[in-house]
Amino acid sequence: MFRQPIEILLSLPAVFLAISFHEFAHAFVADKLGDDTPRKQGRLTLAPLAHVDWTGLILFALFGYGWAKPVQVNPSNFKNKKAGDILVSLSGPAANFLVAVLSLLVSVALMAINLSAPAMDTILLILNYCIYLNIIFGILNLIPIPPLDGYRVLKTLFFRSFTRIFVAYEKIGLFILFAFLLFGLFDLAVSRPALSVYQSFMTAGQRILQLLQ
């Protein structure tokens, strides 16, 4: 159940990147759309410490599941409240997929250069974690369970029509998340899709590498 120390150590850079870019994306898009709440709270930064929830980070290190400090947004400051709220919600997962793509490109570039530095294998392994964990973060946050981003999109679209359902759903949201963990449902909803996307990334990376060699 507990993760190996070396796995924790190698995955931490990927976790910090995933958290920082995810939360910064929320703050950046909200700021651009007219809400300065994240800026006032010091969240308009890529500095990991501004976004880390230490309890969530420790749990991730030990078990592979955790959370970051959520960015607070006031949709009333957006010109179009509904569209703005959806864009802010989707920006986090989008940022994670972008980091995964950039990590893949850096990894391919390093392999194409074919440096024989002693630390190269470790660097490539860390980049591999960056690819996979950002895919995991991106897919996980699209699940429509509170307090994840996918739920916020769903709530923004349909809250007025199904207010009572959403209020009741939010009360049991954390229990649903724990049920997903306890009964292995995240494997079906997140891990398997993430593995498929990861394998597609690796295949694309190999093709790019072949073209460069």
Side-chain angles (χ1 to χ4, degrees):
M1 187 173 182
F2 289 95
R3 303 170 74 208
Q4 296 298 320
I6 187 64
E7 182 184 358
I8 294 172
L9 185 63
L10 291 174
S11 66
L12 280 179
V15 173
F16 282 124
L17 270 178
I19 289 173
S20 299
F21 276 84
H22 183 99
E23 300 302 336
F24 170 76
H26 286 318
F28 178 80
V29 173
D31 189 72
K32 290 299 181 183
L33 292 176
D35 179 26
D36 63 353
T37 304
R39 181 185 293 275
K40 290 179 177 178
Q41 296 180 346
R43 305 301 300 278
L44 198 63
T45 176
L46 285 170
L49 294 182
H51 306 296
V52 166
D53 180 295
W54 292 105
T55 301
L57 181 64
I58 291 170
L59 288 176
F60 181 86
L62 294 176
F63 304 110
Y65 295 100
W67 57 85
K69 187 190 304 181
V71 169
Q72 295 182 3
V73 174
N74 184 359
S76 298
N77 292 325
F78 301 147
K79 291 182 179 179
N80 186 319
K81 181 178 177 180
K82 181 177 289 189
D85 209 10
I86 291 173
L87 287 173
V88 170
S89 298
L90 293 178
S91 64
N96 288 129
F97 291 124
L98 177 61
V99 172
V101 171
L102 293 176
S103 299
L104 175 67
L105 295 177
V106 172
S107 180
V108 169
L110 290 176
M111 287 188 286
I113 295 172
N114 197 24
L115 294 176
S116 58
M120 187 54 64
D121 287 344
T122 302
I123 293 172
L124 290 174
L125 188 55
I126 291 173
L127 286 168
N128 192 60
Y129 273 109
C130 288
I131 297 166
Y132 183 66
L133 288 180
N134 273 281
I135 293 171
I136 287 280
F137 271 58
I139 293 177
L140 171 64
N141 278 281
L142 290 175
I143 295 177
I145 299 175
L148 301 175
D149 297 323
Y151 170 74
R152 190 170 182 88
V153 172
L154 198 67
K155 181 179 179 180
T156 301
L157 290 172
F158 301 111
F159 181 75
R160 289 186 178 180
S161 301
F162 305 98
T163 303
R164 291 184 179 179
I165 294 176
F166 277 100
V167 171
Y169 187 36
E170 287 182 359
K171 291 180 179 179
I172 61 172
L174 287 177
F175 296 103
I176 294 175
L177 281 176
F178 282 123
F180 263 63
L181 287 172
L182 290 174
F183 297 109
L185 297 178
F186 269 121
D187 182 53
L188 291 173
V190 180
S191 298
R192 293 187 187 182
L195 182 59
S196 296
V197 175
Y198 170 78
Q199 290 171 339
S200 298
F201 270 51
M202 292 298 101
T203 301
Q206 287 296 325
R207 290 176 180 173
I208 296 172
L209 185 60
Q210 290 171 1
L211 292 174
L212 293 175
Q213 291 178 335

